[in-house]
């Protein structure tokens, strides 16, 4: 890296709630940002559906870019050397041969389900049953958007030329090429994490997501050229025609890098709509038995990940159902309701006077009938106890994830890098450090995903030899929260003696609830 020479890339970061265009230099400084909120983030034509016009996302990145171009200093825009794209995961678009969407994009929050299950051979079915994965395979089949479209909209599937993830669709809109990054391949699709591409037709789990090979796009490694900005895209965005668009990865894969997690000792925890714990490792490691890791932005590396599906969505749920007072007060003060609630976290002791929250509001692939639960209520508990119990409950579940990842990988995490909306709270950062018993570190920007995507672009441009060099130059720590080990001991006992036993004790009741409410009509 040339210390004196500033180089600039533009990164499009498309989240659930907004699209951002970020100008980022080779020192990790954000030189400018254009942002467009997604209003609404999605549309529900039916209960549990979450859809959005694919063109909506393209229009929003174009508007973000034009807004940014107007705001930056003269001469800066002309120095952009490349473009990268990172987007939300498991959001899919059906396009025809001309690249025109055939139906709205199905967003990752969508809960519709296909009928039936995968067509498995007798041998495969017996194998799945023997290892306890038959129900998981069936659940994954039902949740796959491709299977629902095949069943319910066969005429759409017949016309589908390419079945693209959102990142692939936006790549097409910018370059005219239907291609995507290997590290963006996250969704219910026939993905082979080990080969960082698509499964072969005869792969064991291929029937779960049996998309025809010809409907799957070209895949490139992080840093490789996906295409170049077309004349139309240049007109739409204000970018220079011919700029290279370089592959990076999904939002989570980029966030890990942007938090500086380029070695297995650093865990990345994302406190977003879905809470996650993950890390970078240079060997194939399943986070749970038979659950593949995601492909890392670092070629040949992997991101084993544990997800708490409702994560910090639970904060929005609490705010809506229990925090009307703070919502009104926040409006008067011009701050967020979350900020007011977080100030009150210090009023409640560690462990919430015995109130424990299990955050499995949405079942996951290994616990298909799980539910949320709250235990330990007494007359001393208030709604602020409940608020802190939600935060602690999410962390307890992430601690489960960390212990599992450590056991499967054979190493111990030494620090946590925190990202996502929850990381903006000092109180939540300190609670997290106390619960995990290791330092929690926060970087100097909340745009960690954008930084990670830009790192891939700079490695592709040859500015850095590898991602370790890139993170040393571009990731800068701002805060370190050291654990209070007396508080940690309280959490350790609650986790070991109570939280870890909740699911096992309640599982038979969850099974019974599932049986009662999911009887075949």
């Amino acid at each position: 890296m040339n210390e004196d020479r500033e180089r600039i890339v533009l990164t499009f970061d498309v989240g659930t709630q907004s699209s951002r265009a970020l100008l980022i230099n080779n020192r990790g400084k954000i030189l400018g940002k254009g942002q467009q909120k997604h209003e609404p983030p999605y549309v529900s034509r039916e209960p549990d559906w979450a859809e959005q016009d694919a063109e909506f996302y393209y229009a929003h990145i174009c508007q973000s870019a034009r807004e940014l171009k107007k705001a930056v200093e003269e001469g800066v825009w002309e120095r952009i050397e490349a473009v990268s794209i990172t987007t939300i995961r498991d959001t899919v678009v059906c396009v025809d041969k001309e690249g025109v969407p055939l139906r709205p994009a199905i967003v990752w929050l969508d809960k519709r389900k296909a009928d039936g299950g995968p067509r498995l051979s007798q041998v495969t079915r017996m194998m799945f049953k023997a290892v306890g994965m038959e129900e998981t395979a069936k659940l994954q089949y039902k949740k796959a958007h491709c299977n629902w479209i095949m069943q319910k909209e066969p005429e759409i599937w017949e016309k589908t030329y390419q079945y693209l993830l959102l990142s692939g669709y936006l790549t097409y809109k910018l370059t005219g090429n239907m291609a995507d990054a290997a590290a963006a391949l996250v969704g219910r699709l026939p993905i082979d994490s080990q080969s960082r591409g698509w499964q072969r037709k005869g792969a064991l789990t291929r029937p779960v997501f049996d998309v025809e090979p010809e409907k799957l796009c070209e895949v490139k490694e992080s840093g490789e050229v996906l295409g170049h900005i077309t004349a139309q895209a240049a007109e739409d965005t204000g970018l220079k025609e011919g700029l290279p668009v370089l592959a990076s990865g999904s939002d989570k894969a980029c966030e890990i890098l942007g938090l500086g997690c380029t070695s297995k000792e650093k865990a990345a925890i994302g406190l977003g709509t879905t809470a996650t714990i993950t890390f970078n490792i240079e060997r194939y490691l399943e986070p749970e038995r038979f659950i593949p890791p995601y492909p890392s932005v670092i070629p040949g590396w992997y991101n084993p990940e544990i997800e708490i599906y409702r994560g910090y969505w639970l904060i929005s749920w609490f705010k809506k159902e229990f925090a009307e007072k703070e919502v009104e007060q926040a409006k008067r003060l011009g701050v967020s309701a979350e900020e007011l609630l977080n100030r009150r976290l210090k009023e409640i002791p560690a462990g919430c006077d015995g109130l424990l929250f299990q955050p499995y509001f949405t079942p996951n692939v290994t616990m298909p009938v799980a539910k949320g639960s709250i235990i330990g209520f007494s007359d001393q508990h208030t709604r602020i106890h409940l608020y802190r119990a939600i935060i602690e409950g999410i962390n307890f579940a992430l601690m489960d994830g960390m212990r599992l990842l450590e056991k499967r990988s054979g190493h111990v995490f030494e620090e946590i890098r925190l990202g996502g909306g929850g990381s903006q709270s000092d109180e939540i950062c300190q609670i997290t450090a106390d619960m995990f018993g290791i330092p929690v570190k926060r970087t100097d920007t909340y745009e960690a995903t954008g930084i990670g995507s830009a790192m891939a672009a700079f490695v592709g441009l040859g500015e850095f030899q590898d991602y370790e060099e890139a993170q040393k130059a571009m990731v800068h720590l701002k805060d370190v929260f050291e654990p209070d080990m007396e508080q940690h001991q309280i959490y350790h006992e609650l986790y070991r003696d109570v939280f870890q036993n909740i699911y096992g004790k309640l599982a038979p009741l969850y099974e019974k609830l599932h049986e009662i409410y999911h009887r075949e009509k």
Side-chain angles (χ1 to χ4, degrees), residues 247-296:
S248 62
S250 70
D251 56 354
K252 284 292 178 185
C254 289
E255 182 184 56
I256 299 165
L257 281 185
L259 292 172
C261 297
T262 51
S263 65
K264 67 178 186 290
E265 292 77 25
K266 299 172 185 174
I269 287 183
L271 299 180
T273 305
T274 295
T276 58
I277 179 165
T278 184
F279 67 109
N280 262 309
I281 188 168
E282 54 188 323
R283 62 185 172 89
Y284 183 86
L285 178 75
E286 295 175 344
E288 298 181 79
R289 200 174 174 211
F290 305 114
I291 303 298
Y294 297 133
S296 167

Side-chain angles (χ1 to χ4, degrees), residues 7-234:
R7 303 181 74 180
I8 300 169
V9 298
L10 182 135
T11 292
F12 288 117
D13 179 3
V14 180
T16 306
Q17 302 292 335
S18 70
S19 290
R20 292 177 292 286
L22 303 161
L23 275 184
I24 301 173
N25 72 10
N26 52 337
R27 300 179 187 96
K29 184 178 179 182
I30 295 174
L31 305 176
K33 177 169 81 170
Q35 183 169 6
Q36 292 289 310
K37 287 190 176 181
H38 296 165
E39 295 178 340
Y42 59 86
V43 175
S44 297
R45 293 188 288 151
E46 299 282 347
D48 293 331
W49 288 21
E51 297 181 333
Q52 186 58 269
D53 285 337
E55 280 289 333
F56 174 94
Y57 293 110
Y58 181 63
H60 278 63
I61 67 169
C62 291
Q63 183 60 34
S64 298
R66 292 194 299 268
E67 177 188 306
L68 176 57
K69 185 177 182 179
K70 287 179 186 175
V72 297
E73 293 179 14
E74 191 175 350
V76 172
W77 191 260
E78 287 68 34
R79 292 170 53 207
I80 295 171
E81 294 185 48
V83 176
S84 65
I85 308 167
T86 179
T87 74
I88 46 178
R89 309 183 295 189
D90 196 22
T91 296
V92 293
V93 186
C94 296
V95 299
D96 64 16
K97 285 188 177 181
E98 283 69 49
V100 177
L102 295 166
R103 67 172 325 283
I106 302 181
V107 182
W108 67 275
L109 287 160
D110 193 280
K111 298 299 177 192
R112 76 187 76 188
K113 287 188 176 68
D115 300 325
R119 294 179 181 176
L120 303 174
S121 69
Q122 190 172 359
V123 173
T124 302
R125 192 176 301 281
M126 287 173 63
M127 288 173 63
F128 276 27
K129 195 165 189 174
V131 296
M133 291 300 289
E134 189 176 24
E135 277 303 307
T136 296
K138 189 174 179 181
L139 179 65
Q140 289 288 68
Y141 176 90
K142 286 177 176 290
K143 286 186 170 184
H145 309 319
C146 58
N147 295 328
W148 186 92
I149 297 169
M150 287 182 212
Q151 289 179 6
K152 309 297 183 182
E153 299 177 346
E155 71 288 350
I156 296 291
W157 193 255
E158 181 67 27
K159 294 176 186 173
T160 299
Y161 175 68
Q162 294 272 268
Y163 184 63
L164 301 169
L165 289 161
L166 178 59
S167 46
Y169 174 71
L170 294 178
T171 296
Y172 168 73
K173 290 295 291 184
L174 291 172
T175 69
N177 293 340
M178 294 186 191
D180 211 342
L185 300 185
V186 180
R188 292 179 175 91
L189 290 158
I191 297 160
D192 184 338
S193 294
Q194 287 181 283
S195 71
R196 298 173 68 85
W198 305 116
Q199 287 182 334
R200 293 185 177 182
K201 190 67 178 170
L204 187 67
T205 58
R206 182 66 189 246
V208 181
F209 317 119
D210 203 12
V211 178
E212 298 96 311
E214 62 271 16
K215 293 187 192 296
L216 299 169
C217 72
E218 181 184 13
V219 178
K220 295 287 189 76
E221 272 299 349
S222 307
E224 291 184 353
V225 177
L226 292 167
H228 296 82
I229 296 293
T230 64
Q232 184 61 58

Side-chain angles (χ1 to χ4, degrees), residues 113 135 139 363 368-371 507-520:
K113 287 188 176 68
E135 277 303 307
L139 179 65
V369 296
K371 299 284 185 184
L509 299 181
Y510 294 151
E511 290 275 3
K512 183 56 68 175
L513 281 170
H514 183 79
E515 182 185 315
I516 291 169
Y517 285 98
H518 293 82
R519 286 176 179 145
E520 295 292 335

Side-chain angles (χ1 to χ4, degrees), residues 359-378:
Y360 305 135
F361 270 43
T362 299
N364 65 29
V365 292
T366 56
M367 294 188 292
V369 296
K371 299 284 185 184
S373 66
I374 309 168
I375 68 167
F377 266 120
S378 72

